[in-house]
Amino acid sequence: MHVTDAQDVRRVSVLKATGLIEASIDPAFDTGGSYRLAQAALVVCITDEGHAEIGNLRGRGRVGAAPKSARTGPEPLDYLRTIERSTFPLRVQDPQEINCIEALKQAGFVDAAISPALAWKSSSEPQELAVIRRITPFGRAQLARGTK
């Protein structure tokens, strides 16, 4: 499903960050080259966790629900809990962590800047750099709920 309404794109970002759906969110740039809220998203599928949550909301959890997908790296909300008490700004170079930061940023949970992949002098491979300025009030509210 292709989503272009700003409110719906934000909802897709939250669902993706919580691991309930698989989606591709188009990063948007302003003319100055910095990120701003995305304007489009493509929802690919509901994850096993998403189906389990739907079942729970309907009052009938799925028996024998499949384990978490074979995703590499931390889940975005787990990562948010990991950085909850960090000193900001927080610099991150790990690609898997940057993927989490992108999902959390698109969901509105963190205020962060993510550089495009650049080749650094000390490395032959292009690397990204993310700087998390803070966890937003929306992100703090999510942490306070203590839900996955």
Side-chain angles (χ1 to χ4, degrees):
M1 172 191 332
H2 192 251
V3 178
T4 56
D5 178 73
Q7 290 280 71
D8 289 339
V9 172
R10 185 172 179 92
R11 289 180 186 116
V12 166
S13 297
V14 171
L15 291 171
K16 179 179 179 179
T18 56
L20 299 177
I21 64 170
E22 290 292 327
S24 172
I25 301 171
D26 298 335
F29 295 94
D30 64 20
T31 55
S34 64
Y35 285 94
R36 66 173 201 255
L37 289 179
Q39 295 181 347
L42 177 65
V43 178
V44 178
C45 68
I46 299 172
T47 64
D48 291 333
E49 293 84 8
H51 284 290
E53 184 66 22
I54 291 168
N56 288 336
L57 291 173
R58 290 182 176 162
R60 54 184 159 86
R62 287 178 23 179
V63 176
K68 286 200 172 208
S69 60
R71 180 185 165 130
T72 59
E75 290 290 325
L77 287 182
D78 292 336
Y79 184 74
L80 185 64
R81 280 187 276 284
T82 301
I83 65 167
E84 180 177 9
R85 291 182 176 82
S86 296
T87 302
F88 296 100
L90 179 65
R91 295 171 54 92
V92 179
Q93 291 180 313
D94 181 86
Q96 293 174 342
E97 290 178 9
I98 290 174
N99 289 339
C100 288
I101 294 165
E102 179 64 36
L104 292 168
K105 177 183 169 119
Q106 291 295 334
F109 292 165
V110 297
D111 177 14
I114 303 171
S115 72
L118 300 171
W120 300 97
K121 288 182 182 180
S122 61
S123 173
S124 60
E125 293 293 317
Q127 294 180 348
E128 287 181 299
L129 173 67
V131 177
I132 304 170
R133 293 181 199 98
R134 66 186 178 107
I135 297 174
T136 66
F138 190 50
R140 296 276 178 202
Q142 179 68 27
L143 287 167
R145 280 194 289 275
T147 59
K148 279 196 156 199

